[in-house]
Amino acid sequence: MRALRIDVPPGERAARVAWARLVEPRDKQALELIERLGAEEALQAVQPEDRLGQRVAPRLETLDVARDVEIARTLGARIVVPGDDEWPAGFASLVDPPLCLWVRGPLELASECERSVSVVGARAATQYGLRQAAEIAAGLVDRRFAVVSGAAYGIDGAAHRGALVAEGSTVAFTAGGIDRPYPRGHDDLFTRLWRDGVVATEVPPGSAPTAVRFISRNRLIATVSQGTVVVEAGLRSGSLNTARTASGYHRSVGALPGSVESPVSAGCHQLIRDGAAMLVTDAAEVAELVGPLGELAPVKRGVVRAGDEHEDAHRAVHAALPVRKAVAVEDLARRCGQSPDEVIAALGVLELSGLARRIPGEGWSKATGSRRR
Amino acid sequence: MRALRIDVPPGERAARVAWARLVEPRDKQALELIERLGAEEALQAVQPEDRLGQRVAPRLETLDVARDVEIARTLGARIVVPGDDEWPAGFASLVDPPLCLWVRGPLELASECERSVSVVGARAATQYGLRQAAEIAAGLVDRRFAVVSGAAYGIDGAAHRGALVAEGSTVAFTAGGIDRPYPRGHDDLFTRLWRDGVVATEVPPGSAPTAVRFISRNRLIATVSQGTVVVEAGLRSGSLNTARTASGYHRSVGALPGSVESPVSAGCHQLIRDGAAMLVTDAAEVAELVGPLGELAPVKRGVVRAGDEHEDAHRAVHAALPVRKAVAVEDLARRCGQSPDEVIAALGVLELSGLARRIPGEGWSKATGSRRR
């Protein structure tokens, strides 16, 4: 059998750049061949007759590795391949890892992702969702997590901005080429990310962010971090795909609840109902979910009310005490269905706690803040 | 040892009415004695020296079974004891069942509770919570469930009213005597319940609804029905107590999510996080949670978009098709990273689904609703 003639500069790195141009992300046959032979040798093993060859052939005429490398250089971007220090460790678990990454921005991708949370959600988010995304992102920054997202409108943008405002690290994985910031309405966000964060993509320069590439991109967001939080998502949101991928790869998944009357909370509620996500209400609970043992969120408590620490019997006595007058122990016993001895014991505890007061010659009353003289 | 002298009319029913007057709900020693000897004989076995005797003694002077029975009769209420047809089956599982019940209203308590859901929550509810409580109650009525609650302000009242408006059955368990409707602001609601529903309490006429009695009452709401839904609850709400009791007695528990910024959804979120409650978003999901197998809530789906049923490869081809012009198969193959054969296969499926259109001599384009002539 005769192989396709594929001309590329020598070396694994150049070969991977070529592969990224020749096939779409998650091309099973290409990945198998590369896994078996290495990227460089795999290029020489593509048969024109088989399905991979037929897929590759139409793209051969547009292949120009030197140009793809040059575009990256012009943008101040770098090309990262497996084995590089900057290759994120999380991708090791992927059955279909990226062939290479185009990376732009001052942050070191791998080390930022080592302690990171993906914060994702609907484009058509509500004010509630946008506010919470920014707040959770800022809270994660406070806890030294980098915030990973997809730079889309809505929740993604709010998450990146929340992290940037908190002067933390943020990482964007995009579905189009490194030279095609998308959406255009996020030009300002991309400018911030290029300056203070980092943007990465697995598709070569010039690639349009198509629907299928968004789905492919989601697996990177899902696996590069220790966990994913869905802030708002409709029932068919791509964020659910990210969440289920994260769950499938044994990453922690959280979902923010919201009004059952809000369609963009319906996806979050479905994830929680399915057991695919843990309900989370703030950054502390997200950190607890994704963090190593010991990062426990503070247990939420309401305001402690007078007498709450006492057992029911004591509470009954406290409740039966009048505020403005005093009553005898026997009266209290009758009201509470307790014996006089039990009432006296309770009154003793309540008096110690400053909740009951004995008025000599009269009986007992509730102790209020203001003292009677 | 000499027993206390307790004069009551003969029979178990009268003895239970006496016990309800002499001890508070959940009096362990009284319940043990009654369990062992029966209510009537237990009355004669109370020793003045022991703790039960000392608790009972202060109340002996106010004991008047004939009067308690007469008050019930005057109100049109009936007294129900274990063994009566109207005694709810759910109480059989209680370690501390009521001694007897005062019951008022036309509905038969036991048969209504046989297929019922408790809908409970905060007094200080939001408009969201009130609306949802009423809607869930009405939805449960549509599914032939009775709605059990506690007649309190807020969620309880909205649940009863939702059931009444839907012309369904509703059952209130109150913490005070049958002659003391509480709160007074619910006089109109009680009038409706006495006329079209049923109200029950385990404490004798004249009893004030104290904090401890509310807690005791909660176990009745928790166990009389097949399941409990918490619609809104703060972190220290009594509804959480009801929910955890229901869970402890192996009843189904659901909780409605809400904004994480709403303090009265915090208790619901905590129940869900703890695994004590299932997240539920509507009556169908509540019915699924508490109902016998087979009452499955419809799976929620978003709007189906063109091409969604096709696999990714087909979606990629569909996405690459232009709307206003036509492209050749080879172009599509290059764009999608697929072989021409794969693209042709995808186009065939898309054409069959009415999503792609071949223009002879030109190529392929997206099929839109409007036909080009």
Side-chain angles (χ1 to χ4, degrees), chain A residues 318-357:
Chain A
H318 182 257
L321 285 170
V323 179
R324 288 174 209 283
K325 54 178 190 167
V327 286
V329 167
E330 293 69 29
D331 271 350
L332 287 170
R334 198 175 305 114
R335 289 192 198 187
C336 304
Q338 300 184 21
S339 72
D341 283 353
E342 288 171 320
V343 169
I344 288 167
L347 286 168
V349 175
L350 291 168
E351 189 179 27
L352 279 174
S353 315
L355 295 167
R357 197 156 45 101

Side-chain angles (χ1 to χ4, degrees), chain A residues 58-59 131-132 261 334 337, chain B residues 59 131 261 334 337 339:
Chain A
R59 288 185 169 190
R131 198 161 59 234
Q132 284 299 320
E261 296 165 357
R334 198 175 305 114
Chain B
R59 289 185 168 189
R131 200 163 55 232
E261 296 164 357
R334 199 175 303 115
S339 72

Side-chain angles (χ1 to χ4, degrees), chain A residues 244-265:
Chain A
R244 293 191 192 278
T245 303
S247 175
Y249 279 108
H250 307 294
R251 303 299 195 275
S252 305
V253 180
L256 193 86
S259 165
V260 300
E261 296 165 357
S262 167
V264 284
S265 282

Side-chain angles (χ1 to χ4, degrees), chain A residues 17-259:
Chain A
V17 173
W19 274 113
R21 172 67 62 189
L22 292 173
V23 296
E24 284 294 304
R26 296 189 296 159
D27 187 304
K28 279 200 180 55
Q29 287 165 297
L31 286 166
E32 275 165 23
L33 202 62
I34 293 166
E35 167 89 0
R36 192 149 52 81
L37 304 175
E40 191 172 11
E41 214 172 308
L43 278 178
Q44 307 312 321
V46 179
Q47 305 300 319
E49 306 78 26
D50 70 12
R51 290 174 58 199
L52 178 59
Q54 289 181 24
R55 274 206 296 285
V56 160
R59 288 185 169 190
L60 264 183
E61 57 200 75
T62 64
L63 179 64
D64 186 344
V65 170
R67 185 198 53 194
D68 286 345
V69 171
E70 182 53 29
I71 293 173
R73 193 179 359 241
T74 309
L75 294 170
R78 53 212 183 263
I79 293 168
V80 178
V81 298
D84 287 350
D85 284 349
E86 207 175 350
W87 190 258
F91 291 164
S93 54
L94 273 172
V95 296
D96 46 13
L99 295 160
C100 66
L101 292 172
W102 278 261
V103 180
R104 181 172 176 186
L107 298 185
E108 213 264 353
L109 187 63
S111 57
E112 294 300 340
C113 293
E114 235 169 58
R115 184 177 166 88
S116 66
V117 175
S118 300
V119 179
V120 299
R123 287 176 177 76
T126 67
Q127 288 302 315
Y128 165 70
L130 297 175
R131 198 161 59 234
Q132 284 299 320
E135 198 156 311
I136 288 171
L140 287 169
V141 162
D142 289 347
R143 290 166 179 81
R144 295 173 295 110
F145 285 95
V147 174
V148 177
S149 196
Y153 286 132
I155 300 301
D156 285 19
H160 288 302
R161 288 200 177 92
L164 287 166
V165 165
E167 300 187 330
S169 300
T170 191
V171 180
F173 280 91
T174 63
I178 198 76
D179 56 341
R180 294 192 58 164
Y182 177 89
R184 296 311 306 249
H186 271 178
D187 278 357
D188 60 330
L189 175 61
F190 276 102
T191 304
R192 286 293 311 272
L193 290 168
W194 293 331
R195 198 186 69 194
D196 299 324
V198 62
V199 180
T201 181
E202 64 179 320
V203 294
S207 304
T210 61
V212 176
R213 286 178 187 145
F214 273 111
I215 293 175
S216 295
R217 183 277 314 261
N218 289 348
R219 81 193 192 290
L220 306 185
I221 293 178
T223 57
V224 80
S225 60
Q226 282 80 71
T228 293
V229 193
V230 185
V231 175
E232 281 190 321
L235 288 170
R236 301 190 72 86
S237 167
S239 312
L240 300 188
N241 163 262
T242 307
R244 293 191 192 278
T245 303
S247 175
Y249 279 108
H250 307 294
R251 303 299 195 275
S252 305
V253 180
L256 193 86
S259 165

Side-chain angles (χ1 to χ4, degrees), chain B residues 86-91 108-117 145-146 148 169 171 173 198 220 223-227:
Chain B
E86 209 175 347
W87 190 258
F91 292 164
E108 214 263 353
L109 186 63
S111 56
E112 294 301 339
C113 294
E114 235 167 58
R115 182 177 169 89
S116 66
V117 174
F145 286 94
V148 177
S169 300
V171 179
F173 279 90
V198 63
L220 307 185
T223 57
V224 81
S225 60
Q226 282 80 70

